[in-house]
Amino acid sequence: MQYVVSSPRHRPGGTPVTSSPTRPGAPPQEMHMPTERRGKTYTVEDAIEAMGLGWFQAKIFVVGKMITAADAMEMMMLAVLSPLVRCEWALSDYQVAFITTAVFVGMGVASPLLGIVGDKYGRKVVLVIVTLCIGYFGFLTTFSPSFGWMLFLRGLVGVGMGGSPQGFSLNAEYVPSKYRAKLLIFGTVFWTLGSIFEILLAMLVVPSLGWRYLLAFSSLPVLATCVGLIWIPESARFLAAAGYLDDATTILEGAAKMNKSVLPDGRLVKSPEITLGRPRDLFSREYLRSTLQVWLLWFGVAFTYYGMVLASAEVLRVRNKDKTSHCNCVYLTTEDYTTMILSSLGELLSLPINFFLLDRIGRRWTGGLCYLGTSLFFILIQLDVGLNTLTTFMFFVRAFSSACFNFVYIYSSELYPTSIRTLGMGTASAWARVGAMLTPFVAQVLLSNSIQAATWVYGALCMLCGISCFLLPIETKGRALPQMVSYNSDTDTVDLGESLPGSSYVSEAEAEEPAHVATVSGKRGAEGKRGEEEEMFTDLGDGGR
């Protein structure tokens, strides 16, 4: 029987284990265990399920969601900042759009690179880099002497934002499987709070101090989050996968103590490794159509959601310009800021929408209705109505588009097998970045010239995405989730291997046994379901927005 070699690192304040093991070939970790526990093993997944949900996860959740709120502040700032710098530097519509695009270009370039760093050096290292980058370069933008410098510095802020999903990964890696999906949906609250806080900050700061102070004050929360990372541990899943089993054990023991629970009997071992899928698996006969449709859905949701964030300020600016003068230098009023706050609250409506519909009518119908709802209310924005009615339309656009975001994350993570889940989510996220890069040219350029044309672009795209949802070939509600894709050379078919049944602990020999294989026709049962639920929201590749 082969055992995992103990980590070369050792526990803080302790000394490396050097005495001989209790039995030939046994790892050093086992020699101080009671006799009845020797030979038993457990994985990080088993430990996390055993410790349950408690104060340990709460502190990680708060810090991780503070990063989410900081991201939301940066995104909402782009909407608030646009009318201000347009006036001061006499910028054209295209120049204003490029400020937003620069942020998403930075995110698109940095996201895969920081993902590699996170997999090699750990999640916490990346989060420190991310918070320092967003806060530092966000603060430096305060001193931008020209449009070119602002473009460059906002792009560097985007580089930091490209790694912020690591905070979501760290959260997910410590949460028991049955709570992960619910916490993903609940995370919307922090994004909404960050957006509202930024608008309130703009209301207080901009009229008296100007936009430069707004940038300075907006950078402080994310820098405070960097300090909070001192009390957050590294991912035990990462440490175990990297071979640092002693460190992972120390963290898990402390977590169990904080949650007033106990770990499974035995010693910690690496999780059974699976064969990683290949890019061509995304285009296999089983997944080709789903992959193409999911890419459209991710493109559409990012294009629409960020478009509404930017358009919320631009629509109000255009309305004010039409009522006052034809000068581009039109500032937002207190009434306008109030409208933006109320419309942002619409994102909270996405919580009951997702909670009640996803498991009642299924993923496909929920996604389709959310996209069609976004389409309807986006088109209604072009009507010449009062401010209260306009606020209502914007409220429901934010509500349904936010619900669409939750839907695409959940559906995509359930669609693909574990072996290509991160690959599938990563490629889909890339299309979301493309949508986010292009949407400023509709929300801030086309809309400035014609509200009707811009809203029809968004409405038509959402309508197309809604129809695509209804036509998705796979409904993932109640579906047994696969572990890997394997090819049968004799029959030229694709088989999906399901995960092993869950247990409180398994021996290493049992953990190394190959998973049983189920065909695509989709046998369902308890076997494999628990393990897959554990994997579902661990490595989504993006996370957050």
Side-chain angles (χ1 to χ4, degrees):
M1 184 179 294
Q2 181 182 1
Y3 286 89
V4 179
V5 179
S6 180
S7 167
R9 298 163 64 178
H10 54 82
R11 302 177 183 182
T15 56
V17 178
T18 56
S19 31
S20 60
T22 57
R23 57 188 176 86
Q29 299 161 287
E30 191 175 313
M31 63 184 205
H32 296 302
M33 289 183 183
T35 304
E36 64 275 10
R37 293 183 59 187
R38 295 172 189 161
K40 294 181 179 180
T41 63
Y42 65 90
T43 64
V44 175
E45 291 83 359
D46 296 324
I48 291 172
E49 293 298 316
M51 75 173 65
L53 195 66
W55 288 110
F56 176 76
Q57 286 90 354
K59 69 174 183 178
I60 298 176
F61 184 78
V62 169
V63 174
K65 292 309 173 183
M66 283 180 65
I67 298 176
T68 299
D71 273 3
M73 290 178 62
E74 292 295 329
M75 290 309 308
M76 185 54 67
M77 182 199 300
L78 295 173
V80 174
L81 190 64
S82 298
L84 304 175
V85 294
R86 183 197 299 268
C87 292
E88 182 165 328
W89 290 337
L91 300 180
S92 67
D93 294 335
Y94 282 97
Q95 287 175 310
V96 172
F98 271 116
I99 296 176
T100 302
T101 299
V103 174
F104 285 109
V105 169
M107 292 174 67
V109 171
S111 187
L113 297 178
L114 290 175
I116 294 172
V117 173
D119 287 337
K120 188 172 183 180
Y121 298 104
R123 317 296 194 233
K124 187 173 178 179
V125 173
V126 173
L127 290 178
V128 172
I129 295 173
V130 163
T131 51
L132 286 176
C133 188
I134 297 174
Y136 178 69
F137 290 112
F139 184 78
L140 280 187
T141 311
T142 304
F143 307 101
S144 301
S146 64
F147 168 72
W149 271 104
M150 172 168 281
L151 212 62
F152 175 69
L153 292 172
R154 296 311 295 174
L156 292 177
V157 170
V159 168
M161 293 174 67
S164 57
Q166 295 287 336
F168 175 82
S169 295
L170 184 61
N171 269 295
E173 288 173 345
Y174 276 118
V175 178
S177 59
K178 66 179 180 179
Y179 300 109
R180 287 200 186 112
K182 295 179 177 63
L183 286 180
L184 171 64
I185 297 174
F186 185 69
T188 302
V189 173
F190 289 83
W191 182 275
T192 304
L193 292 177
S195 300
I196 293 174
F197 180 78
E198 183 66 25
I199 300 171
L200 289 172
L201 193 62
M203 286 179 63
L204 297 174
V205 173
V206 171
S208 56
L209 300 175
W211 62 267
R212 294 182 184 273
Y213 279 91
L214 174 65
L215 290 173
F217 292 147
S218 297
S219 66
L220 297 181
V222 70
L223 291 175
T225 303
C226 185
V227 177
L229 289 172
I230 296 173
W231 292 278
I232 299 302
E234 180 54 86
S235 167
R237 292 177 188 263
F238 163 77
L239 293 172
Y244 300 130
L245 297 176
D246 290 342
D247 294 343
T249 301
T250 301
I251 291 173
L252 292 172
E253 288 174 348
K257 183 178 180 181
M258 184 175 293
N259 284 1
K260 298 180 180 180
S261 58
V262 294
L263 297 179
D265 287 341
R267 62 184 177 83
L268 179 66
V269 296
K270 284 186 178 182
S271 301
E273 295 183 0
I274 61 172
T275 302
L276 296 179
R278 296 157 292 188
R280 74 171 191 172
D281 292 344
L282 294 175
F283 307 103
S284 63
R285 185 167 53 190
E286 173 69 13
Y287 286 111
L288 174 60
R289 180 177 157 191
S290 296
T291 294
L292 296 178
Q293 289 182 244
V294 163
W295 285 358
L296 171 65
L297 298 180
W298 277 79
F299 175 88
V301 71
F303 187 86
T304 304
Y305 176 82
Y306 293 121
M308 186 66 257
V309 171
L310 299 173
S312 59
E314 196 65 20
V315 168
L316 296 170
R317 186 190 70 82
V318 171
R319 282 168 59 96
N320 292 340
K321 182 178 71 173
D322 292 340
K323 292 179 180 179
T324 55
S325 68
H326 293 288
C327 175
N328 280 340
C329 191
V330 179
Y331 293 101
L332 297 176
T333 65
T334 301
E335 222 176 23
D336 295 334
Y337 284 124
T338 302
T339 294
M340 293 174 68
I341 291 174
L342 293 175
S343 64
S344 297
L345 287 173
E347 295 194 16
L348 298 180
L349 185 60
S350 68
L351 298 179
I353 290 176
N354 289 126
F355 271 125
F356 291 111
L357 293 185
L358 282 171
D359 288 327
R360 289 178 180 269
I361 65 174
R363 294 357 182 197
R364 293 182 295 189
W365 276 91
T366 299
L369 293 177
C370 288
Y371 275 107
L372 293 182
T374 307
S375 173
L376 172 63
F377 286 102
F378 226 130
I379 292 173
L380 291 177
I381 288 176
Q382 65 184 277
L383 300 179
D384 186 12
V385 294
L387 186 59
N388 291 336
T389 305
L390 177 64
T391 301
T392 302
F393 294 159
M394 293 168 67
F395 175 92
F396 281 106
V397 171
R398 292 290 288 269
F400 283 113
S401 61
S402 182
C404 288
F405 239 125
N406 290 334
F407 156 75
V408 294
Y409 270 106
I410 293 173
Y411 180 82
S412 302
S413 61
E414 292 176 333
L415 172 68
Y416 293 112
T418 301
S419 61
I420 58 170
R421 183 168 297 129
T422 301
L423 176 63
M425 295 290 289
T427 54
S429 176
W431 282 99
R433 300 296 184 213
V434 173
M437 291 177 194
L438 295 178
T439 198
F441 296 98
V442 177
Q444 295 176 313
V445 178
L446 180 60
L447 191 146
S448 182
N449 295 285
S450 172
I451 293 180
Q452 291 77 14
T455 53
W456 272 110
V457 168
Y458 286 116
L461 178 60
C462 287
M463 195 175 299
L464 178 62
C465 289
I467 296 172
S468 180
C469 284
F470 295 131
L471 299 178
L472 284 167
I474 298 174
E475 171 58 72
T476 62
K477 174 193 171 186
R479 173 176 174 255
L481 301 179
Q483 178 80 350
M484 71 180 96
V485 177
S486 60
Y487 292 90
N488 187 329
S489 57
D490 296 330
T491 61
D492 194 28
T493 59
V494 180
D495 290 337
L496 307 180
E498 292 185 328
S499 59
L500 291 167
S503 59
S504 59
Y505 67 87
V506 294
S507 69
E508 190 159 1
E510 292 172 333
E512 291 176 348
E513 290 178 3
H516 129 155
V517 175
T519 61
V520 177
S521 58
K523 297 189 217 176
R524 175 167 170 76
E527 184 174 357
K529 189 172 186 295
R530 173 183 172 272
E532 282 306 323
E533 288 175 341
E534 291 174 353
E535 294 284 352
M536 189 184 305
F537 296 103
T538 299
D539 294 308
L540 297 190
D542 194 69
R545 293 175 189 167

